Amino acid sequence: MMARSSTELQARHESALPRGVVCAFPICAERARGAEIWDTEGRRYIDFIGGMGALAVGHSHPQVVDAVITQLQRFTHTFFGSIPYDGYVRLAERLNAIAPFPAPAKTLLVTTGAEAVENAVKIARFHSGRRGVVVFKGGFHGRTLLTLAMTSQLDPYKRGFGPFPPDVYHAPFPSAYRGPSADEALQSLRDLFETQTEPEQIAAMVIEPVQGEGGFLPVPPEFLRALRALCDAHGILLIADEVQCGFARTGRVFAIEHSGVDPDLVALGKSFGGGLPIAAVIGKAEIMDAVPPGGLGGTYAGNPLACAAALAALNVLEEENLAARSMEIGERLTTGFRSLNLGANYPIIGEVRGLGAMIGIELIDDATSQRPATALTARLVEDAAMHGLLLASAGRAHNVIRILAPLTVSNEIIDEALAIFDESLARVTTLAHAGSI
Ligand SMILES: Cc1ncc(COP(=O)(O)O)c(C=O)c1O
């Protein structure tokens, strides 16, 4: 029986689902369009979580809906490895044409972001005959065992789930706000190659050009360029994990394009499917072809419905020029968030940062020590939701508000969201001053 209310859904959730599956808000979704969502009680919310960054084209974009309905009426699934269909190949061709490197490209389709990252590593290992993988602290690459080994956040992701696959090395990630600097991070990487593993054992370095879960931290372009040089010097492949920051989120189709650095392989997911589960590895053809026939695939990999949705999402990306719109959204949001702090109204705003529309607001308890305002951030998310704005946090201490608004959002909705944010921030700041948080 369908749940009729949010309260009923919550009670049934608790008895039917394991504790490990949590829901941030006590609401029950009824319908959604663009950047708005309504619950079963008819309440409207502005959705700045956007399916956790999976809805650059917004909820139920009409072109995505039409494409999926048309495909639904043709066939839903065959298993591409037995009975191929053109959607898979057309989608691969579209992605190859926009790959962020000049070499000829080939594309593998899979179902989730974690699967894309795992397959990128598998391909790099096969191509190089090496085992090692270098990742960067604070990074998030998924919840499968290999991607958990590559993720560097214990709670709630890793604790108790080990052992993890070996040969994964975690190097420092540069952060202008909290350090280390790009130079220091690079020095640590060189130390790693002297003290822990020789670079000739490393198949790939995997980096998010803008860390998502880690707190919306853009990688300084000079750091990416230095990684490219190190990779070239030692025959290591550079993999860009663009699962969260890709698909125009940062103002370019791929975030790494901002740096001018060519990756060898790219993992893409989330928004690329327009709301349906699909992910991809796009790579230099010569590397992608290293794996022999049958070595790559999956039952639902490149599912026809998801391919149709992704092809439609790519059309939307181009026709609505989402990359340029992402820059405009980013500027409007950044100006809005920064102006809230003018005259130090909110000293709890430590930093407003980001690239394009991928904006993070880091909240701190104390400007000198930069102590993360973890409890206050949780309270802010709760308060904003009660007043109609859905937000998610990020960062090791969960003290960064991450904006993952659909890139189809209107300026009116952005301004409405900024006003709700301001009022919520005022309320939680007052509570904090009164010692209630
Ligand atoms: C950068 C990055 N890589 C990989 C993943 C894993 O994607 P999925 O949850 O689709 O497996 C995520 C998910 O948040 C991510 O942000």
Side-chain angles (χ1 to χ4, degrees):
M1 205 177 47
M2 260 173 75
R4 282 177 307 270
S5 71
S6 310
T7 325
E8 183 192 331
L9 183 75
Q10 220 185 342
R12 283 167 57 184
H13 174 150
E14 273 164 31
S15 62
L17 274 55
R19 283 190 314 141
V21 180
V22 295
C23 294
F25 305 111
I27 61 181
C28 178
E30 172 69 20
R31 67 192 170 88
R33 193 66 180 245
E36 294 164 287
I37 188 158
W38 288 264
D39 71 7
T40 40
E41 276 92 348
R43 283 183 295 250
R44 167 196 174 257
Y45 300 88
I46 296 174
D47 182 6
F48 273 13
I49 302 172
M52 207 45 98
L55 292 168
V57 301
H59 286 280
S60 302
H61 191 289
Q63 290 192 45
V64 173
V65 172
D66 283 350
V68 173
I69 289 175
T70 305
Q71 181 57 46
L72 199 54
Q73 286 162 343
R74 292 176 66 210
F75 57 93
T76 57
H77 178 64
T78 64
F79 179 59
F80 189 78
S82 299
I83 305 166
Y85 38 88
D86 82 325
Y88 190 124
V89 178
R90 271 197 294 141
L91 184 53
E93 288 168 349
R94 290 282 293 274
L95 293 176
N96 294 341
I98 57 169
F101 46 78
K106 286 200 170 181
T107 290
L108 163 75
L109 297 178
V110 287
T111 312
T112 66
E115 228 189 320
V117 174
E118 286 231 20
N119 275 282
V121 171
K122 281 167 61 180
I123 294 166
R125 281 184 170 166
F126 206 102
H127 176 262
S128 61
R130 304 175 179 183
R131 304 163 51 135
V133 181
V134 170
V135 293
F136 295 86
K137 288 184 185 162
F140 181 89
H141 299 287
R143 290 174 183 262
T144 58
L145 283 175
L146 174 63
T147 55
L148 271 186
M150 297 166 64
T151 288
S152 51
Q153 186 152 335
L154 206 51
D155 288 311
Y157 305 122
K158 296 181 76 156
R159 191 185 298 279
F161 292 133
F164 301 111
D167 300 300
V168 176
Y169 301 91
H170 292 251
F173 183 92
S175 153
Y177 185 57
R178 290 186 181 274
S181 69
D183 279 349
E184 287 162 343
L186 206 56
Q187 191 47 49
S188 301
L189 186 56
R190 292 202 185 94
D191 288 348
L192 188 148
F193 285 151
E194 279 174 18
T195 57
Q196 295 186 53
T197 176
E198 57 276 44
E200 287 68 32
Q201 295 293 326
I202 301 298
M205 293 193 197
V206 186
I207 190 159
E208 296 167 75
V210 181
Q211 268 193 355
E213 195 68 27
F216 277 35
L217 295 161
V219 184
E222 69 273 20
F223 188 72
L224 280 172
R225 288 194 280 271
L227 290 189
R228 181 70 269 180
L230 261 179
C231 285
D232 290 342
H234 299 289
I236 299 170
L237 298 183
L238 184 62
I239 301 177
D241 180 348
E242 297 253 358
V243 170
Q244 190 159 162
C245 62
F247 209 78
R249 176 67 56 193
T250 68
R252 296 282 180 96
V253 177
F254 299 95
I256 197 161
E257 292 177 87
H258 286 280
S259 67
V261 166
D262 293 346
D264 297 298
L265 300 168
V266 180
L268 193 61
K270 290 193 188 266
S271 279
F272 154 60
L276 266 78
I278 189 163
V281 182
I282 309 163
K284 295 181 177 165
E286 160 260 328
I287 299 168
M288 296 293 285
D289 275 333
V291 180
L296 302 171
T299 303
Y300 277 116
N303 167 265
L305 295 173
C307 283
L311 282 163
L314 275 167
N315 289 344
V316 174
L317 176 103
E318 286 169 13
E319 288 162 19
E320 299 187 21
N321 203 353
L322 292 189
R325 178 63 186 147
S326 171
M327 294 306 285
E328 287 169 10
I329 293 171
E331 271 162 36
R332 197 172 190 97
L333 283 170
T334 308
T335 308
F337 288 127
R338 291 206 173 122
S339 72
L340 297 182
N341 200 24
L342 285 183
N345 283 339
Y346 299 117
I348 53 169
I349 298 184
E351 189 180 44
V352 178
R353 60 173 172 256
L355 207 49
M358 194 167 176
I359 304 291
I361 304 118
E362 175 147 358
L363 301 175
I364 50 169
D365 277 336
D366 175 74
T368 317
S369 68
Q370 297 179 332
R371 196 175 59 235
T374 305
L376 184 140
T377 308
R379 205 54 182 266
L380 175 66
V381 167
E382 198 183 301
D383 186 276
M386 279 167 55
H387 294 85
L389 172 63
L390 301 179
L391 297 168
S393 63
R396 190 189 300 183
H398 307 285
N399 67 319
V400 179
I401 298 289
R402 56 169 132 176
I403 304 296
L404 287 167
L407 303 178
T408 51
V409 65
S410 67
N411 285 345
E412 291 69 37
I413 290 187
I414 293 175
D415 294 345
E416 195 186 338
L418 282 166
I420 299 175
F421 188 88
D422 185 12
E423 286 159 17
S424 288
L425 205 52
R427 275 189 293 272
V428 295
T429 307
T430 309
L431 284 176
H433 287 155
S436 309
I437 296 180

